[in-house]
Amino acid sequence: MTPLYSLRKISEEDILFLFELYHCPEITKYMSHPFQTIKDAKDYYDFISGVNEEGSEPGKVYVIQMSNNESIGIVGLDYILGPTAYLTFALKPEYWHKGIMLKVLDDFLKRHTKLYKNIIVRVRDDNTPALKLLSKLSYSLQIELLKSSNY
């Protein structure tokens, strides 16, 4: 049976997709810094692709693709410093509530988190769907709640 989705390492060709994903109002209502321009997406790609001024290692971020090669989201560790890594994930709204992200996160965490002592995910306190999703995972993550009133 063919898997519903696959993961592929993010590349420079995905900058427009990143912009579209992080410019979508349904997604950005839960973000502290939504992308306003394609340059924002390029800057994020550059950040996760290389060592930055703080000495963090390159991120491990993947594009989620359906079997028809449609890019529908991202998952990964976008900031890694020593034994600590920050989890990031986003999915196009038309794919929400289908169990895709739960499966993606479980698979991703099983394969990519053994090297890190702390996996941290930052979530706004009003992002009930993400908090519900994270509570279903079989992995222990450190959740940093961000106050929605600050954004």
Side-chain angles (χ1 to χ4, degrees):
M1 184 173 159
T2 306
L4 178 64
Y5 72 90
S6 62
L7 298 180
R8 68 167 175 75
K9 187 93 168 119
I10 200 164
S11 70
E12 197 163 359
E13 288 77 37
D14 295 308
I15 290 172
L16 182 59
F17 172 68
L18 278 174
F19 173 73
E20 291 167 355
L21 192 66
Y22 286 138
H23 191 70
C24 171
E26 291 173 272
I27 294 172
T28 60
K29 71 181 178 183
Y30 296 118
M31 292 176 61
S32 56
H33 304 291
F35 294 172
Q36 301 299 320
T37 66
I38 291 185
K39 183 180 181 321
D40 293 338
K42 168 102 173 68
D43 290 347
Y44 179 67
Y45 174 79
D46 290 346
F47 173 78
I48 62 175
S49 298
V51 176
N52 67 40
E53 66 277 355
E54 296 169 354
S56 69
E57 65 181 89
K60 294 175 173 67
V61 179
Y62 296 83
V63 173
I64 306 163
Q65 285 190 309
M66 298 300 288
S67 56
N68 65 0
N69 290 330
E70 177 190 4
S71 297
I72 64 166
I74 67 163
V75 63
L77 304 171
D78 67 352
Y79 181 74
I80 303 168
L81 191 58
T84 301
Y86 286 81
L87 180 66
T88 187
F89 60 94
L91 194 63
K92 286 181 175 180
E94 59 266 32
Y95 292 95
W96 293 359
H97 309 294
K98 297 180 187 289
I100 295 170
M101 189 55 81
L102 179 62
K103 178 83 171 114
V104 167
L105 284 170
D106 270 335
D107 289 348
F108 178 81
L109 292 167
K110 184 179 358 175
R111 292 187 180 131
H112 296 281
T113 59
K114 293 178 180 121
L115 298 174
Y116 308 104
K117 184 177 177 180
N118 304 311
I119 305 293
I120 299 171
V121 59
R122 292 180 171 151
V123 180
R124 280 184 35 171
D125 60 2
D126 63 343
N127 190 344
T128 305
L131 292 169
K132 185 176 176 183
L133 172 67
L134 293 169
S135 73
K136 294 178 182 179
L137 291 173
S138 57
Y139 288 84
S140 177
L141 302 173
Q142 180 180 335
I143 298 174
E144 287 184 3
L145 285 179
L146 305 173
K147 295 221 178 275
S148 58
S149 59
N150 291 343
Y151 300 100

